[in-house]
Amino acid sequence: MRKVAVFCAGLLGLALLVGCGAGGSESAPGAPDSTVAAPAVSPPGLRDQGAPAPLDNEQAPDTTRKEVVTGDVALVADDPIAAAGIIADRVRALDGRVDSRTEQPRTDENDGSSGYRPLPQGPSASLTVRVPSDRTDAFVDGLGQVGRITRISLNRADVTMQWEDLDARIRALQTSVDRLRTLIAGATNTADLLAAEQALSSRQGELDSLTSQKRLLDDQVALSTLSISVTTPAANPVDDDEPSSFWGGIVAGWNGLVDWLGDAVVAVGKALPTLAFLAVIGGLIFVIVRAVRRRRGGPGTEPAPGKAWAEPEPAKAAPAQPESPGDHPEKS
């Protein structure tokens, strides 16, 4: 009987435990259902890549860099004028423009306008061109096909902060101008209308000035400025080369003599007016001095003060010479 009672008591306790577990599994009103599986928390390195992660200041995208490109290029070509034409055509093909173009043909003859003989100079050309900034390097490299490049100098100036400052000021002024126009439209008295119009005029003028500055800066950023000079290969003319033979020395000496005589004739021609003027002045001075001397030393002029005419002294008799004994005969 005791075993049966213990067995019944165990069954009763098991039944009570099963009932309590079933009652606790029921969810209370308003409480989250504990039977629903919670979403698995992924580790930090396996987060959903589709969702944008917050960016700090270092990861923020940078503003596009604004640069003003300027440069200087020197070329040597057999025909600088033709080379300048080719360069201008290439600039236009890149949607650029030629701001200035100067061509100097060969000068080796005296035109007679000056008194000296100029040294001969070869032809040359110079251009100032504007090329798209993103094509500047390719354009400069392509100039090697036109002539021999002797010098390249490119400078890139960063104007990003200046551009951003102008842009921010323009946007602020535009907002202010729009508000003032709204105030003018809704003004109820003359005083408010005049004050708003005065403020609008001042800010509109400043806005136009900043807009013009930004437009100029945008043009400098979009198109680089290049100065290109084209010259001939020969730095010195052929006539100035040193002679390499005896006959060449004679010819060079003769040419030098002729040039010297020509320069001497020119120098004399320049000095003739001065010499003639000096001769006239000298002649006048000579005539005046001669007239003064004649007036002072002519006949009938009185002696100078302090001097008197001296009377001629009478001639003195010569002393008697003593007679020698031989001059008289002896007296008898």
Side-chain angles (χ1 to χ4, degrees):
M1 292 295 294
R2 182 178 295 180
K3 293 181 179 180
V4 175
V6 172
F7 181 76
C8 292
L11 290 176
L12 181 60
L14 181 60
L16 292 175
L17 290 174
V18 173
C20 291
S25 63
E26 296 177 2
S27 58
D33 189 0
S34 59
T35 60
V36 180
V41 179
S42 61
L46 300 176
R47 291 182 179 178
D48 187 7
Q49 298 180 358
L55 298 176
D56 52 8
N57 294 332
E58 296 180 355
Q59 298 178 351
D62 296 334
T63 307
T64 304
R65 181 183 175 90
K66 305 293 183 180
E67 293 180 341
V68 175
V69 182
T70 57
D72 184 13
V73 182
L75 293 176
V76 173
D78 295 334
D79 190 351
I81 297 179
I86 296 174
I87 294 173
D89 294 339
R90 292 193 175 188
V91 170
R92 298 187 187 97
L94 294 176
D95 296 333
R97 68 173 186 265
V98 179
D99 285 351
S100 66
R101 179 177 176 179
T102 304
E103 297 178 354
Q104 178 66 42
R106 179 180 176 86
T107 57
D108 53 357
E109 296 181 358
N110 188 6
D111 56 359
S113 60
S114 58
Y116 64 93
R117 180 181 179 182
L119 294 176
Q121 297 180 356
S124 61
S126 60
L127 303 93
T128 301
V129 300
R130 304 293 304 279
V131 182
S133 298
D134 56 347
R135 302 181 182 179
T136 301
D137 295 335
F139 173 77
V140 173
D141 294 338
L143 292 178
Q145 302 174 358
V146 181
R148 180 169 58 88
I149 300 177
T150 59
R151 185 181 70 257
I152 296 178
S153 175
L154 293 178
N155 182 33
R156 298 179 181 271
D158 187 4
V159 294
T160 306
M161 295 186 63
Q162 181 181 356
W163 189 90
E164 290 179 352
D165 180 67
L166 286 175
D167 185 67
R169 294 171 63 184
I170 288 174
R171 285 189 280 106
L173 282 174
Q174 186 63 53
T175 302
S176 178
V177 167
D178 294 340
R179 291 178 180 177
L180 287 174
R181 288 176 177 173
T182 303
L183 292 176
I184 291 175
T188 57
N189 52 53
T190 306
D192 295 341
L193 180 61
L194 293 177
E197 288 181 348
Q198 184 177 2
L200 176 61
S201 176
S202 175
R203 297 186 184 182
Q204 184 65 46
E206 186 177 358
L207 177 61
D208 294 340
S209 176
L210 293 178
T211 303
S212 177
Q213 296 178 24
K214 186 173 180 291
R215 188 182 302 112
L216 177 61
L217 186 60
D218 288 337
D219 179 74
Q220 294 176 351
V221 170
L223 298 176
S224 60
T225 304
L226 299 177
S227 299
I228 304 174
S229 60
V230 188
T231 56
T232 55
N236 298 322
V238 178
D239 295 340
D240 291 344
D241 292 341
E242 293 294 334
S244 58
S245 63
F246 177 76
W247 179 252
I250 294 177
V251 173
W254 175 258
N255 293 334
L257 177 61
V258 171
D259 293 340
W260 181 83
L261 291 176
D263 295 340
V265 171
V266 172
V268 172
K270 291 182 178 180
L272 278 179
T274 304
L275 294 176
F277 176 75
L278 294 177
V280 172
I281 297 299
L284 292 176
I285 294 175
F286 176 76
V287 170
I288 293 173
V289 171
R290 188 175 181 182
V292 171
R293 286 182 178 180
R294 286 182 177 180
R295 185 176 180 181
R296 289 183 178 181
T301 58
E302 296 180 357
K307 293 184 179 180
W309 292 101
E311 294 293 337
E313 296 181 357
K316 296 181 180 181
Q321 298 292 335
E323 295 180 358
S324 59
D327 293 338
H328 300 282
E330 296 181 353
K331 295 179 180 182
S332 55

